């Protein structure tokens, strides 16, 4: 059985993330957000990043801190604005970060398609709005669909509840959100977990992300 690399430090976990990388970041608000890995990425120094996540950061921590550090060139997300997304708001209005707005279901499916090896797919969401302007539209069984392409990541930063030394992951409630599909869609998947256990200690029926998709794992005890 292949084993993920169990990293001793967060710095080791994010080492090698290159400038210009597309980084898939799990989380739905704060649920499932890999904050330790994001902080380590800030310290690591990679810049000109494209961040793919459900939202564009809250307050001044997590993704917002990465944005405030000037490391992000573009954000691909579903919900860029909320009551405390002022970091992104300011950068976007100043023209310092680009935005690609993607409906939430489309975002999840485009990431899933990348992991499943699907070249493209047709979806009705957004047809007739600015979100599908310039996209190929096809009528299927009397309904219009827009052609959507997968979102591949160079790196995925995700948070799970418990992982084993083979990289198998289980999640806790809504913290499951985008992590499973992101793990399949990236060249390098890094998982932050509360606890690392020995192989065989996880119930196979409870494993959501098989270790074959996970390259590095970091225990945070949080």
């Amino acid at each position: 059985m292949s084993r993920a690399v169990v990293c001793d430090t967060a710095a080791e976990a994010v080492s090698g993330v290159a400038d210009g990388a597309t980084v898939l970041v799990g989380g739905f608000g704060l649920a499932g957000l890999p904050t330790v890995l994001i902080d380590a990425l800030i310290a690591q120094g990679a810049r000109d990043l494209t961040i793919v996540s459900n939202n564009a950061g809250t307050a001044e921590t997590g993704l917002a801190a990465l944005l405030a550090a000037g490391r992000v060139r573009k954000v691909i997300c579903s919900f860029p604005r909320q009551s405390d997304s002022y970091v992104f708001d300011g950068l976007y209005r100043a023209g310092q970060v680009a935005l690609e707005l993607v409906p939430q279901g489309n975002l999840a499916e485009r990431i899933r398609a990348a992991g499943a090896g699907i070249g493209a797919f047709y979806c009705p969401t957004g047809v007739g709005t600015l979100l599908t302007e310039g996209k190929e539209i096809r009528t299927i069984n009397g309904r219009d669909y827009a052609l959507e392409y997968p979102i591949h990541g160079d790196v995925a930063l995700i948070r799970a509840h418990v992982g084993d030394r083979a990289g198998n992951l289980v999640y806790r409630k809504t913290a499951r959100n985008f992590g499973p599909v992101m793990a399949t869609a990236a060249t390098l998947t890094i998982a932050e977990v509360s606890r690392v256990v020995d192989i065989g200690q996880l119930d196979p029926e409870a494993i959501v992300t098989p270790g074959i998709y996970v390259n590095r794992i970091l225990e945070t005890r949080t």
Side-chain angles (χ1 to χ4, degrees):
M1 179 180 291
S2 62
R3 292 173 181 252
V5 174
V6 180
C7 299
D8 294 325
T9 65
E12 178 187 353
V14 301
S15 64
V17 177
D19 291 351
T22 295
V23 183
L24 313 179
V25 182
F28 191 92
L30 296 178
L33 187 69
T35 54
V36 174
L37 292 178
I38 294 171
D39 287 346
L41 185 60
I42 294 170
Q44 186 256 20
R47 58 184 61 251
D48 199 30
L49 302 173
T50 295
I51 296 297
V52 182
S53 191
N54 182 65
N55 68 308
T58 58
E60 299 178 4
T61 61
L63 287 176
L66 186 64
L67 284 158
R71 305 295 174 73
V72 180
R73 177 183 66 84
K74 180 180 180 180
V75 174
I76 302 174
C77 73
S78 298
F79 293 93
R81 293 197 66 202
Q82 52 197 57
S83 61
D84 57 355
S85 60
Y86 48 83
V87 171
F88 172 81
D89 288 358
L91 292 170
Y92 180 73
R93 292 176 188 277
Q96 296 178 22
V97 64
L99 170 67
E100 180 180 342
L101 187 64
V102 183
Q104 190 175 80
N106 284 22
L107 183 66
E109 184 63 9
R110 288 176 65 186
I111 297 168
R112 191 198 70 83
I118 296 171
F121 62 93
Y122 287 95
C123 181
T125 305
V127 171
T129 73
L130 291 175
L131 292 176
T132 57
E133 193 174 67
K135 294 183 178 182
E136 178 187 330
I137 306 297
R138 179 174 293 189
T139 302
I140 303 173
N141 293 329
R143 188 175 186 184
D144 289 342
Y145 293 77
L147 184 64
E148 301 284 356
Y149 289 93
I151 299 175
H152 297 267
D154 298 302
V155 181
L157 305 181
I158 63 174
R159 179 171 178 82
H161 182 45
V162 180
D164 69 15
R165 294 184 180 278
N168 298 305
L169 304 177
V170 297
Y171 299 81
R172 187 174 185 274
K173 300 181 179 180
T174 56
R176 178 168 172 170
N177 54 68
F178 283 88
V181 291
M182 287 182 170
T184 70
T187 302
L188 173 66
T189 295
I190 309 167
E192 168 186 323
V193 298
S194 298
R195 186 161 52 96
V196 175
V197 299
D198 289 333
I199 295 171
Q201 291 190 351
L202 294 180
D203 178 358
E205 296 295 329
I207 292 170
V208 176
T209 298
I212 192 173
Y213 295 115
V214 179
N215 304 101
R216 301 175 186 172
I217 190 166
L218 174 71
E219 183 179 75
T220 64
R221 291 289 176 181
T222 58

